[in-house]
Amino acid sequence: MSESNLVELNVTGMHCNNCALSVHKMLEKKGLKEVHVDFANEEVKFSNAGELNLDGIIKDIEGLGFKVYENEEIPQEGFFAKVENKFIFSLIFAVPLFSHMFLPFHWLHNPYIQLALCLPVFILGLSYFGKSAINSLRSGVPNMDVLIFIGFTSAFIYSLTGTVLNLGPDYMFYETTAVIITLVLLGNVFEKRSVSQTTSAIKDLLKYQQVKAIRLIGDEQEVIDSRMINSGDTLLVNTGEKIPADGDIIWGNASVNESLLTGESLPIEKNKYDSVIGGTVVEQGSIKILATKVGKHSVLSQIVEIMKRAQSSKPPIQRLGDRVAAIFVPVVVSIAVLTFVLSYLIFDVQLGESIMRSIAVLVISCPCAMGLATPTAVMVGLGRGAKQGVLIKGGATVEEMANLKYMVFDKTGTLTTGNFAVRDIQVFDLDMAEAKSLIVALESYSNHPIAKSLVAELESDKMKRFIFTEVNEVKGMGIKAIDADGNQYEIGSSKIVQPETDIDGFDVFLKKNDQLICKIAIEDELKPEAKNLIDLLKERKITPVLLSGDRKEKCEFVAQKLGIDTVYSEQRPEQKLQVIDSFKKKGTTAMVGDGINDAPALTTSDVGVSLGNASHIAIQSAKVILLNNDLNSVITLLKVGKHTLITIKQNLFWAFFYNIFAIPLAALGYLGPMLAALAMACSDVVVIGNSLRLKIKKLD
């Protein structure tokens, strides 16, 4: 979605997926593209290449019964704008009205007293549920409020007719009208608070951005809001303070807690020229930083945006719930009409009782439970993953991870640390100590990862020192040097030795005056958690695959150590694509990588998983980012995917089972309208509560 055509609106009043569906359908009818409606985060986004009548679009959204705010700061709500206050207001009238059924006060049985008590609640119901119901019918996506509106309006009109015509107590159902409205409002209160908890992960991240900053201007210090920071500002951060923006340290050093992003509780030492991320905490020390990325360009803002998109994207399993919810209201209205016809005309049930049965059918039905089943579970699951350093970009990824058949790994930097260890050294015509000294002396002139690893492992204080009069690094070959005595040295890959040289199992070669004097075998250092991950994949019947551009011997050595049976070595980026495609034909396939050469494979796979220290293009190509660069995060990803899908299935089962079980009971007269309203409110709470359980549930 291009920034130039992107429109973002804050929309309040959407309380379930059905509400979001009505806004989505209306915007699509207007020809808008890339429509994105998120009821939980109260956001509506869309783009359009042509002329855009934004005022007209806002008016149409508000015409559906919602409120649009173009800025992020939503104004203070009025008293009756809050559903909690609507509930309290209706409860004040509903309690005395309902109490006439068991209190011995004759005046409470007076039909006009009951009408007076019911009327304020009925008017409130008309303004709240009626407006929403009518607007949803106009949009072509009837919502739950249609059922509620028909139910309490039928009870009120029936009762009002009995009062005006003086037909007696059999026509008095004012308490049914008031209690239905009150209980449904109670359910909305629970629903609103529960849904807000499902989005707590995003809210927690947003809080990290809302800090004060100390801006330095010459010798002056100015305390400002973090939103006022500009790129290039110099900021002072002291012990215990949050870093207010992404930047580079230009003075000082500090221990920084980055658990916000990585889940790692141990602080990381930061020195001059190191990068820091906004929202992380300085545990000890003072630093001055130069702000580099602010506002929407900061790491934290981009993570929040990814999470918002991910939480509102639909996994395939949600399509079933959406299809049912879309036709649910007309079906339930038909069942209610059929209930009345069969009860009154066929089975000789009294008129009042027949109407009450029909009303109970309308009220007890709950498409909201089906609409909430998937998004609430996805929100909580993705939020839990994010708090453990696993950033999942799409809700559909959750289902794909739960159904995974193959997981393909790059080698260097993914299964291995990127560092190298010496496995064997063979020397000719010199002793081992002198060979090690010579290797360190020559490789210290190179920045190649292998050279750095050799220097780090072999260097010691007792080493012999060599003085070179000339040193050159030849790209793709190695280091050439000449010492004070005129001896020529060369260290590098197999390209520097004669073709007939026995190089089997060796990687680095050292020559003196064109004579081979040392061979070095190196091995990739495996990540300590790699073996545990591979074993877990096998337990879950997920086939691990090694796919690398490295040499065959290297790949097979790593695969043998980890227990990976399927190995593809010496693969170019385009060949990696072909391998991924072949596995996708056999089952859902994930690719884990970190390099630029992995980006095409990450994009092609069903689920691309990128490490947080990966190249920028690899991160952009992936559906999942492991912020703490730890393969244990892949285990977390698998567990979050599995348990989120389990929760979705449980929610959908409850939503369908509830309606299949409850509607016949209401139709047969076993559940009155008031009990039906209470059961309907509880169904939403059960679904959301089950989703919230995912926050604290032990993931196995």
Side-chain angles (χ1 to χ4, degrees), residues 74-106:
I74 296 177
Q76 190 68 31
E77 292 179 304
F79 181 83
F80 274 111
K82 295 182 178 179
V83 69
E84 292 90 346
N85 294 336
K86 286 185 173 76
F87 166 68
I88 293 170
F89 176 83
S90 61
L91 185 65
I92 290 170
F93 293 95
V95 168
L97 191 55
F98 181 69
S99 66
H100 88 276
M101 300 176 70
F102 48 87
L103 289 180
F105 300 126
H106 293 293

PDB file of all heavy atoms in Angstrom, residues 74-106:
ATOM      1  N   ILE A  74      -8.321  10.807  20.509  1.00  0.00           N
ATOM      2  CA  ILE A  74      -9.779  10.729  20.515  1.00  0.00           C
ATOM      3  C   ILE A  74     -10.329  11.602  21.640  1.00  0.00           C
ATOM      4  O   ILE A  74      -9.909  11.482  22.788  1.00  0.00           O
ATOM      5  CB  ILE A  74     -10.247   9.276  20.701  1.00  0.00           C
ATOM      6  CG1 ILE A  74      -9.784   8.455  19.488  1.00  0.00           C
ATOM      7  CG2 ILE A  74     -11.752   9.195  20.853  1.00  0.00           C
ATOM      8  CD1 ILE A  74     -10.118   6.994  19.584  1.00  0.00           C
ATOM      9  N   PRO A  75     -11.267  12.519  21.345  1.00  0.00           N
ATOM     10  CA  PRO A  75     -11.807  13.399  22.369  1.00  0.00           C
ATOM     11  C   PRO A  75     -12.499  12.625  23.488  1.00  0.00           C
ATOM     12  O   PRO A  75     -12.883  11.466  23.327  1.00  0.00           O
ATOM     13  CB  PRO A  75     -12.834  14.247  21.584  1.00  0.00           C
ATOM     14  CG  PRO A  75     -12.447  14.114  20.155  1.00  0.00           C
ATOM     15  CD  PRO A  75     -11.834  12.762  20.016  1.00  0.00           C
ATOM     16  N   GLN A  76     -12.642  13.328  24.600  1.00  0.00           N
ATOM     17  CA  GLN A  76     -13.306  12.723  25.752  1.00  0.00           C
ATOM     18  C   GLN A  76     -14.752  12.380  25.391  1.00  0.00           C
ATOM     19  O   GLN A  76     -15.477  13.190  24.840  1.00  0.00           O
ATOM     20  CB  GLN A  76     -13.289  13.716  26.931  1.00  0.00           C
ATOM     21  CG  GLN A  76     -13.725  13.115  28.261  1.00  0.00           C
ATOM     22  CD  GLN A  76     -12.732  12.094  28.785  1.00  0.00           C
ATOM     23  OE1 GLN A  76     -11.549  12.202  28.551  1.00  0.00           O
ATOM     24  NE2 GLN A  76     -13.225  11.092  29.484  1.00  0.00           N
ATOM     25  N   GLU A  77     -15.152  11.145  25.714  1.00  0.00           N
ATOM     26  CA  GLU A  77     -16.511  10.712  25.393  1.00  0.00           C
ATOM     27  C   GLU A  77     -17.523  11.365  26.328  1.00  0.00           C
ATOM     28  O   GLU A  77     -17.234  11.596  27.502  1.00  0.00           O
ATOM     29  CB  GLU A  77     -16.621   9.187  25.538  1.00  0.00           C
ATOM     30  CG  GLU A  77     -15.839   8.412  24.501  1.00  0.00           C
ATOM     31  CD  GLU A  77     -15.972   6.914  24.707  1.00  0.00           C
ATOM     32  OE1 GLU A  77     -15.672   6.432  25.803  1.00  0.00           O
ATOM     33  OE2 GLU A  77     -16.416   6.234  23.753  1.00  0.00           O
ATOM     34  N   GLY A  78     -18.711  11.645  25.768  1.00  0.00           N
ATOM     35  CA  GLY A  78     -19.794  12.147  26.602  1.00  0.00           C
ATOM     36  C   GLY A  78     -20.327  11.040  27.502  1.00  0.00           C
ATOM     37  O   GLY A  78     -19.980   9.874  27.356  1.00  0.00           O
ATOM     38  N   PHE A  79     -21.225  11.416  28.420  1.00  0.00           N
ATOM     39  CA  PHE A  79     -21.726  10.454  29.409  1.00  0.00           C
ATOM     40  C   PHE A  79     -22.379   9.254  28.733  1.00  0.00           C
ATOM     41  O   PHE A  79     -22.060   8.108  29.020  1.00  0.00           O
ATOM     42  CB  PHE A  79     -22.726  11.147  30.345  1.00  0.00           C
ATOM     43  CG  PHE A  79     -23.267  10.241  31.412  1.00  0.00           C
ATOM     44  CD1 PHE A  79     -22.554  10.012  32.575  1.00  0.00           C
ATOM     45  CD2 PHE A  79     -24.488   9.594  31.242  1.00  0.00           C
ATOM     46  CE1 PHE A  79     -23.044   9.160  33.564  1.00  0.00           C
ATOM     47  CE2 PHE A  79     -24.987   8.736  32.225  1.00  0.00           C
ATOM     48  CZ  PHE A  79     -24.255   8.528  33.379  1.00  0.00           C
ATOM     49  N   PHE A  80     -23.301   9.507  27.811  1.00  0.00           N
ATOM     50  CA  PHE A  80     -24.034   8.413  27.182  1.00  0.00           C
ATOM     51  C   PHE A  80     -23.267   7.769  26.027  1.00  0.00           C
ATOM     52  O   PHE A  80     -23.732   6.800  25.436  1.00  0.00           O
ATOM     53  CB  PHE A  80     -25.403   8.889  26.698  1.00  0.00           C
ATOM     54  CG  PHE A  80     -26.451   8.825  27.775  1.00  0.00           C
ATOM     55  CD1 PHE A  80     -26.982   9.989  28.311  1.00  0.00           C
ATOM     56  CD2 PHE A  80     -26.884   7.611  28.273  1.00  0.00           C
ATOM     57  CE1 PHE A  80     -27.929   9.933  29.315  1.00  0.00           C
ATOM     58  CE2 PHE A  80     -27.834   7.543  29.277  1.00  0.00           C
ATOM     59  CZ  PHE A  80     -28.363   8.714  29.807  1.00  0.00           C
ATOM     60  N   ALA A  81     -22.080   8.318  25.699  1.00  0.00           N
ATOM     61  CA  ALA A  81     -21.277   7.685  24.656  1.00  0.00           C
ATOM     62  C   ALA A  81     -20.622   6.410  25.180  1.00  0.00           C
ATOM     63  O   ALA A  81     -20.261   5.525  24.406  1.00  0.00           O
ATOM     64  CB  ALA A  81     -20.210   8.655  24.150  1.00  0.00           C
ATOM     65  N   LYS A  82     -20.473   6.303  26.491  1.00  0.00           N
ATOM     66  CA  LYS A  82     -19.851   5.126  27.097  1.00  0.00           C
ATOM     67  C   LYS A  82     -20.896   4.056  27.355  1.00  0.00           C
ATOM     68  O   LYS A  82     -21.920   4.315  27.969  1.00  0.00           O
ATOM     69  CB  LYS A  82     -19.159   5.508  28.407  1.00  0.00           C
ATOM     70  CG  LYS A  82     -17.979   6.447  28.228  1.00  0.00           C
ATOM     71  CD  LYS A  82     -17.317   6.743  29.563  1.00  0.00           C
ATOM     72  CE  LYS A  82     -16.107   7.643  29.397  1.00  0.00           C
ATOM     73  NZ  LYS A  82     -15.468   7.946  30.709  1.00  0.00           N
ATOM     74  N   VAL A  83     -20.618   2.847  26.896  1.00  0.00           N
ATOM     75  CA  VAL A  83     -21.576   1.756  27.060  1.00  0.00           C
ATOM     76  C   VAL A  83     -21.774   1.416  28.540  1.00  0.00           C
ATOM     77  O   VAL A  83     -22.857   0.989  28.947  1.00  0.00           O
ATOM     78  CB  VAL A  83     -21.117   0.517  26.256  1.00  0.00           C
ATOM     79  CG1 VAL A  83     -19.861  -0.101  26.862  1.00  0.00           C
ATOM     80  CG2 VAL A  83     -22.221  -0.515  26.154  1.00  0.00           C
ATOM     81  N   GLU A  84     -20.755   1.661  29.374  1.00  0.00           N
ATOM     82  CA  GLU A  84     -20.896   1.412  30.816  1.00  0.00           C
ATOM     83  C   GLU A  84     -21.985   2.302  31.412  1.00  0.00           C
ATOM     84  O   GLU A  84     -22.785   1.838  32.242  1.00  0.00           O
ATOM     85  CB  GLU A  84     -19.565   1.682  31.547  1.00  0.00           C
ATOM     86  CG  GLU A  84     -18.458   0.704  31.218  1.00  0.00           C
ATOM     87  CD  GLU A  84     -17.618   1.148  30.026  1.00  0.00           C
ATOM     88  OE1 GLU A  84     -18.046   2.074  29.298  1.00  0.00           O
ATOM     89  OE2 GLU A  84     -16.545   0.564  29.807  1.00  0.00           O
ATOM     90  N   ASN A  85     -22.039   3.561  30.981  1.00  0.00           N
ATOM     91  CA  ASN A  85     -23.050   4.484  31.510  1.00  0.00           C
ATOM     92  C   ASN A  85     -24.444   4.155  30.979  1.00  0.00           C
ATOM     93  O   ASN A  85     -25.446   4.324  31.688  1.00  0.00           O
ATOM     94  CB  ASN A  85     -22.675   5.920  31.166  1.00  0.00           C
ATOM     95  CG  ASN A  85     -21.404   6.358  31.882  1.00  0.00           C
ATOM     96  OD1 ASN A  85     -21.061   5.805  32.929  1.00  0.00           O
ATOM     97  ND2 ASN A  85     -20.706   7.333  31.331  1.00  0.00           N
ATOM     98  N   LYS A  86     -24.509   3.681  29.744  1.00  0.00           N
ATOM     99  CA  LYS A  86     -25.797   3.237  29.199  1.00  0.00           C
ATOM    100  C   LYS A  86     -26.345   2.079  30.036  1.00  0.00           C
ATOM    101  O   LYS A  86     -27.548   2.019  30.333  1.00  0.00           O
ATOM    102  CB  LYS A  86     -25.626   2.774  27.741  1.00  0.00           C
ATOM    103  CG  LYS A  86     -25.421   3.895  26.728  1.00  0.00           C
ATOM    104  CD  LYS A  86     -25.393   3.296  25.325  1.00  0.00           C
ATOM    105  CE  LYS A  86     -25.353   4.379  24.254  1.00  0.00           C
ATOM    106  NZ  LYS A  86     -24.028   4.997  24.129  1.00  0.00           N
ATOM    107  N   PHE A  87     -25.453   1.149  30.394  1.00  0.00           N
ATOM    108  CA  PHE A  87     -25.871   0.002  31.216  1.00  0.00           C
ATOM    109  C   PHE A  87     -26.385   0.453  32.582  1.00  0.00           C
ATOM    110  O   PHE A  87     -27.446   0.000  33.034  1.00  0.00           O
ATOM    111  CB  PHE A  87     -24.700  -0.966  31.385  1.00  0.00           C
ATOM    112  CG  PHE A  87     -24.912  -1.981  32.466  1.00  0.00           C
ATOM    113  CD1 PHE A  87     -25.874  -2.984  32.329  1.00  0.00           C
ATOM    114  CD2 PHE A  87     -24.183  -1.923  33.646  1.00  0.00           C
ATOM    115  CE1 PHE A  87     -26.090  -3.913  33.333  1.00  0.00           C
ATOM    116  CE2 PHE A  87     -24.393  -2.842  34.658  1.00  0.00           C
ATOM    117  CZ  PHE A  87     -25.344  -3.841  34.505  1.00  0.00           C
ATOM    118  N   ILE A  88     -25.661   1.345  33.248  1.00  0.00           N
ATOM    119  CA  ILE A  88     -26.082   1.824  34.583  1.00  0.00           C
ATOM    120  C   ILE A  88     -27.438   2.526  34.495  1.00  0.00           C
ATOM    121  O   ILE A  88     -28.323   2.315  35.342  1.00  0.00           O
ATOM    122  CB  ILE A  88     -25.008   2.773  35.163  1.00  0.00           C
ATOM    123  CG1 ILE A  88     -23.719   1.982  35.469  1.00  0.00           C
ATOM    124  CG2 ILE A  88     -25.518   3.458  36.440  1.00  0.00           C
ATOM    125  CD1 ILE A  88     -22.536   2.856  35.803  1.00  0.00           C
ATOM    126  N   PHE A  89     -27.603   3.353  33.460  1.00  0.00           N
ATOM    127  CA  PHE A  89     -28.871   4.073  33.287  1.00  0.00           C
ATOM    128  C   PHE A  89     -30.032   3.096  33.131  1.00  0.00           C
ATOM    129  O   PHE A  89     -31.070   3.225  33.782  1.00  0.00           O
ATOM    130  CB  PHE A  89     -28.757   4.981  32.054  1.00  0.00           C
ATOM    131  CG  PHE A  89     -30.031   5.709  31.719  1.00  0.00           C
ATOM    132  CD1 PHE A  89     -30.369   6.889  32.373  1.00  0.00           C
ATOM    133  CD2 PHE A  89     -30.907   5.215  30.752  1.00  0.00           C
ATOM    134  CE1 PHE A  89     -31.553   7.562  32.076  1.00  0.00           C
ATOM    135  CE2 PHE A  89     -32.083   5.871  30.445  1.00  0.00           C
ATOM    136  CZ  PHE A  89     -32.409   7.060  31.117  1.00  0.00           C
ATOM    137  N   SER A  90     -29.861   2.106  32.266  1.00  0.00           N
ATOM    138  CA  SER A  90     -30.958   1.161  32.025  1.00  0.00           C
ATOM    139  C   SER A  90     -31.195   0.280  33.248  1.00  0.00           C
ATOM    140  O   SER A  90     -32.341  -0.106  33.535  1.00  0.00           O
ATOM    141  CB  SER A  90     -30.658   0.298  30.797  1.00  0.00           C
ATOM    142  OG  SER A  90     -29.477  -0.455  30.996  1.00  0.00           O
ATOM    143  N   LEU A  91     -30.139  -0.043  33.991  1.00  0.00           N
ATOM    144  CA  LEU A  91     -30.275  -0.883  35.186  1.00  0.00           C
ATOM    145  C   LEU A  91     -31.140  -0.198  36.254  1.00  0.00           C
ATOM    146  O   LEU A  91     -31.928  -0.861  36.945  1.00  0.00           O
ATOM    147  CB  LEU A  91     -28.883  -1.193  35.755  1.00  0.00           C
ATOM    148  CG  LEU A  91     -28.827  -2.163  36.944  1.00  0.00           C
ATOM    149  CD1 LEU A  91     -29.288  -3.554  36.506  1.00  0.00           C
ATOM    150  CD2 LEU A  91     -27.414  -2.227  37.523  1.00  0.00           C
ATOM    151  N   ILE A  92     -31.006   1.129  36.369  1.00  0.00           N
ATOM    152  CA  ILE A  92     -31.776   1.891  37.370  1.00  0.00           C
ATOM    153  C   ILE A  92     -33.282   1.698  37.159  1.00  0.00           C
ATOM    154  O   ILE A  92     -34.053   1.591  38.121  1.00  0.00           O
ATOM    155  CB  ILE A  92     -31.400   3.394  37.294  1.00  0.00           C
ATOM    156  CG1 ILE A  92     -29.966   3.592  37.806  1.00  0.00           C
ATOM    157  CG2 ILE A  92     -32.382   4.250  38.089  1.00  0.00           C
ATOM    158  CD1 ILE A  92     -29.413   4.985  37.560  1.00  0.00           C
ATOM    159  N   PHE A  93     -33.712   1.626  35.910  1.00  0.00           N
ATOM    160  CA  PHE A  93     -35.136   1.454  35.607  1.00  0.00           C
ATOM    161  C   PHE A  93     -35.540  -0.019  35.539  1.00  0.00           C
ATOM    162  O   PHE A  93     -36.674  -0.370  35.882  1.00  0.00           O
ATOM    163  CB  PHE A  93     -35.475   2.144  34.279  1.00  0.00           C
ATOM    164  CG  PHE A  93     -35.353   3.641  34.334  1.00  0.00           C
ATOM    165  CD1 PHE A  93     -34.191   4.274  33.925  1.00  0.00           C
ATOM    166  CD2 PHE A  93     -36.402   4.415  34.808  1.00  0.00           C
ATOM    167  CE1 PHE A  93     -34.070   5.643  33.975  1.00  0.00           C
ATOM    168  CE2 PHE A  93     -36.290   5.797  34.859  1.00  0.00           C
ATOM    169  CZ  PHE A  93     -35.125   6.420  34.447  1.00  0.00           C
ATOM    170  N   ALA A  94     -34.618  -0.870  35.099  1.00  0.00           N
ATOM    171  CA  ALA A  94     -34.951  -2.285  34.903  1.00  0.00           C
ATOM    172  C   ALA A  94     -35.153  -3.017  36.227  1.00  0.00           C
ATOM    173  O   ALA A  94     -36.020  -3.903  36.326  1.00  0.00           O
ATOM    174  CB  ALA A  94     -33.860  -2.981  34.076  1.00  0.00           C
ATOM    175  N   VAL A  95     -34.395  -2.652  37.257  1.00  0.00           N
ATOM    176  CA  VAL A  95     -34.499  -3.366  38.543  1.00  0.00           C
ATOM    177  C   VAL A  95     -35.882  -3.236  39.168  1.00  0.00           C
ATOM    178  O   VAL A  95     -36.511  -4.254  39.503  1.00  0.00           O
ATOM    179  CB  VAL A  95     -33.384  -2.904  39.512  1.00  0.00           C
ATOM    180  CG1 VAL A  95     -33.657  -3.419  40.919  1.00  0.00           C
ATOM    181  CG2 VAL A  95     -32.022  -3.404  39.035  1.00  0.00           C
ATOM    182  N   PRO A  96     -36.428  -2.018  39.363  1.00  0.00           N
ATOM    183  CA  PRO A  96     -37.790  -1.945  39.929  1.00  0.00           C
ATOM    184  C   PRO A  96     -38.850  -2.550  39.010  1.00  0.00           C
ATOM    185  O   PRO A  96     -39.832  -3.123  39.474  1.00  0.00           O
ATOM    186  CB  PRO A  96     -38.023  -0.435  40.118  1.00  0.00           C
ATOM    187  CG  PRO A  96     -37.031   0.239  39.239  1.00  0.00           C
ATOM    188  CD  PRO A  96     -35.860  -0.672  39.177  1.00  0.00           C
ATOM    189  N   LEU A  97     -38.630  -2.448  37.702  1.00  0.00           N
ATOM    190  CA  LEU A  97     -39.591  -3.002  36.759  1.00  0.00           C
ATOM    191  C   LEU A  97     -39.624  -4.527  36.866  1.00  0.00           C
ATOM    192  O   LEU A  97     -40.695  -5.148  36.863  1.00  0.00           O
ATOM    193  CB  LEU A  97     -39.203  -2.575  35.336  1.00  0.00           C
ATOM    194  CG  LEU A  97     -40.207  -2.824  34.208  1.00  0.00           C
ATOM    195  CD1 LEU A  97     -41.553  -2.207  34.520  1.00  0.00           C
ATOM    196  CD2 LEU A  97     -39.677  -2.253  32.895  1.00  0.00           C
ATOM    197  N   PHE A  98     -38.451  -5.131  36.986  1.00  0.00           N
ATOM    198  CA  PHE A  98     -38.368  -6.582  37.097  1.00  0.00           C
ATOM    199  C   PHE A  98     -38.837  -7.073  38.473  1.00  0.00           C
ATOM    200  O   PHE A  98     -39.385  -8.179  38.602  1.00  0.00           O
ATOM    201  CB  PHE A  98     -36.917  -7.016  36.859  1.00  0.00           C
ATOM    202  CG  PHE A  98     -36.693  -8.498  36.920  1.00  0.00           C
ATOM    203  CD1 PHE A  98     -37.206  -9.338  35.943  1.00  0.00           C
ATOM    204  CD2 PHE A  98     -35.977  -9.067  37.964  1.00  0.00           C
ATOM    205  CE1 PHE A  98     -37.012 -10.705  35.993  1.00  0.00           C
ATOM    206  CE2 PHE A  98     -35.771 -10.433  38.031  1.00  0.00           C
ATOM    207  CZ  PHE A  98     -36.284 -11.259  37.044  1.00  0.00           C
ATOM    208  N   SER A  99     -38.662  -6.228  39.507  1.00  0.00           N
ATOM    209  CA  SER A  99     -38.972  -6.649  40.883  1.00  0.00           C
ATOM    210  C   SER A  99     -40.459  -6.851  41.130  1.00  0.00           C
ATOM    211  O   SER A  99     -40.841  -7.475  42.131  1.00  0.00           O
ATOM    212  CB  SER A  99     -38.418  -5.624  41.886  1.00  0.00           C
ATOM    213  OG  SER A  99     -39.088  -4.379  41.746  1.00  0.00           O
ATOM    214  N   HIS A 100     -41.341  -6.365  40.232  1.00  0.00           N
ATOM    215  CA  HIS A 100     -42.788  -6.539  40.460  1.00  0.00           C
ATOM    216  C   HIS A 100     -43.178  -8.021  40.436  1.00  0.00           C
ATOM    217  O   HIS A 100     -44.224  -8.408  40.930  1.00  0.00           O
ATOM    218  CB  HIS A 100     -43.593  -5.770  39.390  1.00  0.00           C
ATOM    219  CG  HIS A 100     -43.869  -6.567  38.146  1.00  0.00           C
ATOM    220  ND1 HIS A 100     -42.956  -6.673  37.119  1.00  0.00           N
ATOM    221  CD2 HIS A 100     -44.952  -7.309  37.769  1.00  0.00           C
ATOM    222  CE1 HIS A 100     -43.449  -7.433  36.160  1.00  0.00           C
ATOM    223  NE2 HIS A 100     -44.671  -7.835  36.516  1.00  0.00           N
ATOM    224  N   MET A 101     -42.274  -8.854  39.870  1.00  0.00           N
ATOM    225  CA  MET A 101     -42.582 -10.276  39.751  1.00  0.00           C
ATOM    226  C   MET A 101     -42.476 -11.002  41.092  1.00  0.00           C
ATOM    227  O   MET A 101     -43.028 -12.085  41.256  1.00  0.00           O
ATOM    228  CB  MET A 101     -41.643 -10.936  38.729  1.00  0.00           C
ATOM    229  CG  MET A 101     -41.765 -10.330  37.324  1.00  0.00           C
ATOM    230  SD  MET A 101     -40.602 -11.013  36.131  1.00  0.00           S
ATOM    231  CE  MET A 101     -41.255 -12.657  35.941  1.00  0.00           C
ATOM    232  N   PHE A 102     -41.763 -10.399  42.063  1.00  0.00           N
ATOM    233  CA  PHE A 102     -41.638 -11.075  43.357  1.00  0.00           C
ATOM    234  C   PHE A 102     -41.796 -10.154  44.566  1.00  0.00           C
ATOM    235  O   PHE A 102     -41.709 -10.608  45.702  1.00  0.00           O
ATOM    236  CB  PHE A 102     -40.281 -11.805  43.440  1.00  0.00           C
ATOM    237  CG  PHE A 102     -39.102 -10.974  43.036  1.00  0.00           C
ATOM    238  CD1 PHE A 102     -38.451 -10.166  43.954  1.00  0.00           C
ATOM    239  CD2 PHE A 102     -38.633 -11.007  41.726  1.00  0.00           C
ATOM    240  CE1 PHE A 102     -37.367  -9.412  43.570  1.00  0.00           C
ATOM    241  CE2 PHE A 102     -37.551 -10.244  41.339  1.00  0.00           C
ATOM    242  CZ  PHE A 102     -36.905  -9.438  42.262  1.00  0.00           C
ATOM    243  N   LEU A 103     -42.050  -8.837  44.360  1.00  0.00           N
ATOM    244  CA  LEU A 103     -42.312  -7.927  45.491  1.00  0.00           C
ATOM    245  C   LEU A 103     -43.810  -7.642  45.598  1.00  0.00           C
ATOM    246  O   LEU A 103     -44.491  -7.431  44.583  1.00  0.00           O
ATOM    247  CB  LEU A 103     -41.544  -6.613  45.296  1.00  0.00           C
ATOM    248  CG  LEU A 103     -40.015  -6.678  45.452  1.00  0.00           C
ATOM    249  CD1 LEU A 103     -39.398  -5.304  45.230  1.00  0.00           C
ATOM    250  CD2 LEU A 103     -39.619  -7.208  46.827  1.00  0.00           C
ATOM    251  N   PRO A 104     -44.360  -7.565  46.829  1.00  0.00           N
ATOM    252  CA  PRO A 104     -45.820  -7.417  47.019  1.00  0.00           C
ATOM    253  C   PRO A 104     -46.290  -5.963  46.968  1.00  0.00           C
ATOM    254  O   PRO A 104     -47.067  -5.524  47.826  1.00  0.00           O
ATOM    255  CB  PRO A 104     -46.022  -8.023  48.419  1.00  0.00           C
ATOM    256  CG  PRO A 104     -44.754  -7.702  49.135  1.00  0.00           C
ATOM    257  CD  PRO A 104     -43.666  -7.748  48.117  1.00  0.00           C
ATOM    258  N   PHE A 105     -45.773  -5.188  45.996  1.00  0.00           N
ATOM    259  CA  PHE A 105     -46.216  -3.799  45.863  1.00  0.00           C
ATOM    260  C   PHE A 105     -47.174  -3.712  44.670  1.00  0.00           C
ATOM    261  O   PHE A 105     -46.764  -3.859  43.515  1.00  0.00           O
ATOM    262  CB  PHE A 105     -45.023  -2.862  45.668  1.00  0.00           C
ATOM    263  CG  PHE A 105     -44.042  -2.894  46.818  1.00  0.00           C
ATOM    264  CD1 PHE A 105     -42.687  -3.149  46.588  1.00  0.00           C
ATOM    265  CD2 PHE A 105     -44.461  -2.672  48.129  1.00  0.00           C
ATOM    266  CE1 PHE A 105     -41.793  -3.172  47.639  1.00  0.00           C
ATOM    267  CE2 PHE A 105     -43.565  -2.699  49.180  1.00  0.00           C
ATOM    268  CZ  PHE A 105     -42.227  -2.954  48.944  1.00  0.00           C
ATOM    269  N   HIS A 106     -48.459  -3.416  44.980  1.00  0.00           N
ATOM    270  CA  HIS A 106     -49.470  -3.432  43.916  1.00  0.00           C
ATOM    271  C   HIS A 106     -49.226  -2.350  42.867  1.00  0.00           C
ATOM    272  O   HIS A 106     -49.551  -2.540  41.686  1.00  0.00           O
ATOM    273  CB  HIS A 106     -50.873  -3.266  44.530  1.00  0.00           C
ATOM    274  CG  HIS A 106     -51.266  -4.444  45.368  1.00  0.00           C
ATOM    275  ND1 HIS A 106     -51.492  -5.692  44.840  1.00  0.00           N
ATOM    276  CD2 HIS A 106     -51.467  -4.555  46.717  1.00  0.00           C
ATOM    277  CE1 HIS A 106     -51.814  -6.544  45.807  1.00  0.00           C
ATOM    278  NE2 HIS A 106     -51.792  -5.879  46.968  1.00  0.00           N
TER     279      HIS A 106
END
